[in-house]
Amino acid sequence: MENAKRTPRGTKKRDAPLTEAGIYTAALKLIDAEGADTLTMRKLATALDANPMSLYHHVPNKEAVLRGVAAMVGAEFRTVTRKDLPWQERIRRLAEDFRTLAHRHPKLMAYSFGQPDFVQPEDPFWNVLTPREV
């Protein structure tokens, strides 16, 4: 009986090319399952069935992946831009949205708020809290 050789990871033709969005989506799945501290570029490449080095064509390092994932999740944040609502209602909606995202991705939130300077001033959450009037 002949041993079937497995094609080395990342050498077969992919159905879809690697993209930043695809990398971030796969990373978020791993973070949700195991936590951000356990994420490695090698684990991420395995989840994507890609060569680990091919990830570096799209993202420079793990920190960039984590920031990209945080930005992707932050984009789900519903910004309350209605100025006709009382500030109390806008804050209530903001808190509800934050709570929803925190429950959806608790391990990412725990990591994000546990890192100094991880949450950046340009993040959607802070933009809603501190609108810049011109």
Side-chain angles (χ1 to χ4, degrees), residues 16-36:
L18 282 176
T19 62
E20 277 187 41
I23 291 169
Y24 298 155
T25 300
L28 181 59
K29 287 178 185 175
L30 289 172
I31 291 167
D32 285 344
E34 302 173 15

mmCIF file of all heavy atoms in Angstrom, residues 16-36:
data_model
loop_
_atom_site.group_PDB
_atom_site.id
_atom_site.type_symbol
_atom_site.label_atom_id
_atom_site.label_comp_id
_atom_site.label_asym_id
_atom_site.label_seq_id
_atom_site.Cartn_x
_atom_site.Cartn_y
_atom_site.Cartn_z
ATOM 1 N N ALA A 16 -9.205 30.958 -2.941
ATOM 2 C CA ALA A 16 -9.240 32.421 -2.862
ATOM 3 C C ALA A 16 -7.887 32.892 -2.322
ATOM 4 O O ALA A 16 -7.331 32.272 -1.418
ATOM 5 C CB ALA A 16 -10.364 32.868 -1.936
ATOM 6 N N PRO A 17 -7.373 33.976 -2.842
ATOM 7 C CA PRO A 17 -6.068 34.453 -2.357
ATOM 8 C C PRO A 17 -6.175 34.997 -0.938
ATOM 9 O O PRO A 17 -7.252 35.391 -0.476
ATOM 10 C CB PRO A 17 -5.712 35.570 -3.339
ATOM 11 C CG PRO A 17 -7.001 36.001 -3.939
ATOM 12 C CD PRO A 17 -7.901 34.807 -3.910
ATOM 13 N N LEU A 18 -5.052 34.988 -0.242
ATOM 14 C CA LEU A 18 -5.012 35.578 1.089
ATOM 15 C C LEU A 18 -5.248 37.081 0.974
ATOM 16 O O LEU A 18 -4.747 37.719 0.059
ATOM 17 C CB LEU A 18 -3.642 35.354 1.731
ATOM 18 C CG LEU A 18 -3.352 33.986 2.308
ATOM 19 C CD1 LEU A 18 -1.909 33.940 2.809
ATOM 20 C CD2 LEU A 18 -4.301 33.639 3.418
ATOM 21 N N THR A 19 -6.005 37.602 1.928
ATOM 22 C CA THR A 19 -6.234 39.040 2.007
ATOM 23 C C THR A 19 -6.117 39.453 3.469
ATOM 24 O O THR A 19 -6.211 38.609 4.363
ATOM 25 C CB THR A 19 -7.634 39.432 1.512
ATOM 26 O OG1 THR A 19 -8.613 38.809 2.360
ATOM 27 C CG2 THR A 19 -7.856 39.018 0.064
ATOM 28 N N GLU A 20 -5.928 40.733 3.697
ATOM 29 C CA GLU A 20 -5.900 41.222 5.072
ATOM 30 C C GLU A 20 -7.203 40.879 5.781
ATOM 31 O O GLU A 20 -7.191 40.396 6.909
ATOM 32 C CB GLU A 20 -5.686 42.738 5.113
ATOM 33 C CG GLU A 20 -4.255 43.156 5.003
ATOM 34 C CD GLU A 20 -4.089 44.648 5.208
ATOM 35 O OE1 GLU A 20 -4.743 45.221 6.105
ATOM 36 O OE2 GLU A 20 -3.296 45.237 4.462
ATOM 37 N N ALA A 21 -8.335 41.123 5.117
ATOM 38 C CA ALA A 21 -9.641 40.851 5.737
ATOM 39 C C ALA A 21 -9.783 39.372 6.083
ATOM 40 O O ALA A 21 -10.286 39.018 7.158
ATOM 41 C CB ALA A 21 -10.766 41.303 4.814
ATOM 42 N N GLY A 22 -9.340 38.489 5.201
ATOM 43 C CA GLY A 22 -9.414 37.060 5.470
ATOM 44 C C GLY A 22 -8.518 36.652 6.632
ATOM 45 O O GLY A 22 -8.884 35.800 7.448
ATOM 46 N N ILE A 23 -7.354 37.266 6.695
ATOM 47 C CA ILE A 23 -6.421 36.986 7.796
ATOM 48 C C ILE A 23 -7.033 37.443 9.110
ATOM 49 O O ILE A 23 -7.017 36.724 10.111
ATOM 50 C CB ILE A 23 -5.060 37.665 7.536
ATOM 51 C CG1 ILE A 23 -4.356 36.968 6.367
ATOM 52 C CG2 ILE A 23 -4.188 37.642 8.783
ATOM 53 C CD1 ILE A 23 -3.143 37.705 5.839
ATOM 54 N N TYR A 24 -7.623 38.653 9.123
ATOM 55 C CA TYR A 24 -8.234 39.171 10.345
ATOM 56 C C TYR A 24 -9.425 38.323 10.778
ATOM 57 O O TYR A 24 -9.611 38.066 11.969
ATOM 58 C CB TYR A 24 -8.681 40.621 10.154
ATOM 59 C CG TYR A 24 -7.566 41.590 9.858
ATOM 60 C CD1 TYR A 24 -7.825 42.772 9.182
ATOM 61 C CD2 TYR A 24 -6.250 41.340 10.245
ATOM 62 C CE1 TYR A 24 -6.810 43.682 8.905
ATOM 63 C CE2 TYR A 24 -5.232 42.237 9.965
ATOM 64 C CZ TYR A 24 -5.522 43.409 9.293
ATOM 65 O OH TYR A 24 -4.505 44.295 9.027
ATOM 66 N N THR A 25 -10.210 37.863 9.824
ATOM 67 C CA THR A 25 -11.372 37.026 10.149
ATOM 68 C C THR A 25 -10.927 35.713 10.777
ATOM 69 O O THR A 25 -11.487 35.276 11.789
ATOM 70 C CB THR A 25 -12.222 36.769 8.887
ATOM 71 O OG1 THR A 25 -12.674 38.031 8.380
ATOM 72 C CG2 THR A 25 -13.418 35.885 9.187
ATOM 73 N N ALA A 26 -9.920 35.078 10.197
ATOM 74 C CA ALA A 26 -9.399 33.822 10.753
ATOM 75 C C ALA A 26 -8.785 34.062 12.131
ATOM 76 O O ALA A 26 -8.966 33.257 13.054
ATOM 77 C CB ALA A 26 -8.372 33.211 9.805
ATOM 78 N N ALA A 27 -8.076 35.172 12.282
ATOM 79 C CA ALA A 27 -7.467 35.490 13.576
ATOM 80 C C ALA A 27 -8.543 35.704 14.638
ATOM 81 O O ALA A 27 -8.395 35.250 15.772
ATOM 82 C CB ALA A 27 -6.585 36.731 13.459
ATOM 83 N N LEU A 28 -9.625 36.381 14.273
ATOM 84 C CA LEU A 28 -10.709 36.612 15.236
ATOM 85 C C LEU A 28 -11.326 35.292 15.695
ATOM 86 O O LEU A 28 -11.619 35.121 16.883
ATOM 87 C CB LEU A 28 -11.777 37.528 14.641
ATOM 88 C CG LEU A 28 -12.953 37.862 15.556
ATOM 89 C CD1 LEU A 28 -12.483 38.541 16.836
ATOM 90 C CD2 LEU A 28 -13.962 38.734 14.809
ATOM 91 N N LYS A 29 -11.480 34.361 14.787
ATOM 92 C CA LYS A 29 -12.016 33.038 15.166
ATOM 93 C C LYS A 29 -11.090 32.355 16.176
ATOM 94 O O LYS A 29 -11.549 31.774 17.158
ATOM 95 C CB LYS A 29 -12.204 32.152 13.936
ATOM 96 C CG LYS A 29 -13.369 32.562 13.078
ATOM 97 C CD LYS A 29 -13.488 31.682 11.853
ATOM 98 C CE LYS A 29 -14.587 32.188 10.936
ATOM 99 N NZ LYS A 29 -14.664 31.425 9.684
ATOM 100 N N LEU A 30 -9.791 32.431 15.916
ATOM 101 C CA LEU A 30 -8.829 31.833 16.849
ATOM 102 C C LEU A 30 -8.839 32.562 18.194
ATOM 103 O O LEU A 30 -8.784 31.927 19.250
ATOM 104 C CB LEU A 30 -7.422 31.856 16.253
ATOM 105 C CG LEU A 30 -7.159 30.913 15.085
ATOM 106 C CD1 LEU A 30 -5.793 31.183 14.473
ATOM 107 C CD2 LEU A 30 -7.278 29.468 15.526
ATOM 108 N N ILE A 31 -8.918 33.883 18.160
ATOM 109 C CA ILE A 31 -8.955 34.667 19.402
ATOM 110 C C ILE A 31 -10.207 34.339 20.198
ATOM 111 O O ILE A 31 -10.142 34.147 21.414
ATOM 112 C CB ILE A 31 -8.866 36.174 19.095
ATOM 113 C CG1 ILE A 31 -7.471 36.516 18.558
ATOM 114 C CG2 ILE A 31 -9.187 37.005 20.329
ATOM 115 C CD1 ILE A 31 -7.376 37.900 17.935
ATOM 116 N N ASP A 32 -11.349 34.277 19.530
ATOM 117 C CA ASP A 32 -12.602 33.946 20.216
ATOM 118 C C ASP A 32 -12.544 32.556 20.853
ATOM 119 O O ASP A 32 -13.095 32.336 21.932
ATOM 120 C CB ASP A 32 -13.791 34.021 19.256
ATOM 121 C CG ASP A 32 -14.217 35.445 18.930
ATOM 122 O OD1 ASP A 32 -13.812 36.379 19.657
ATOM 123 O OD2 ASP A 32 -14.956 35.625 17.941
ATOM 124 N N ALA A 33 -11.857 31.631 20.195
ATOM 125 C CA ALA A 33 -11.785 30.260 20.705
ATOM 126 C C ALA A 33 -10.742 30.093 21.810
ATOM 127 O O ALA A 33 -10.997 29.417 22.810
ATOM 128 C CB ALA A 33 -11.474 29.298 19.557
ATOM 129 N N GLU A 34 -9.561 30.702 21.617
ATOM 130 C CA GLU A 34 -8.440 30.408 22.511
ATOM 131 C C GLU A 34 -7.866 31.615 23.250
ATOM 132 O O GLU A 34 -7.085 31.438 24.171
ATOM 133 C CB GLU A 34 -7.315 29.752 21.701
ATOM 134 C CG GLU A 34 -7.730 28.482 20.987
ATOM 135 C CD GLU A 34 -6.639 27.952 20.068
ATOM 136 O OE1 GLU A 34 -5.477 28.387 20.185
ATOM 137 O OE2 GLU A 34 -6.964 27.106 19.230
ATOM 138 N N GLY A 35 -8.185 32.816 22.811
ATOM 139 C CA GLY A 35 -7.631 34.014 23.430
ATOM 140 C C GLY A 35 -6.529 34.629 22.588
ATOM 141 O O GLY A 35 -5.854 33.941 21.821
ATOM 142 N N ALA A 36 -6.352 35.920 22.750
ATOM 143 C CA ALA A 36 -5.365 36.655 21.951
ATOM 144 C C ALA A 36 -3.931 36.289 22.315
ATOM 145 O O ALA A 36 -3.050 36.314 21.463
ATOM 146 C CB ALA A 36 -5.581 38.155 22.111
#
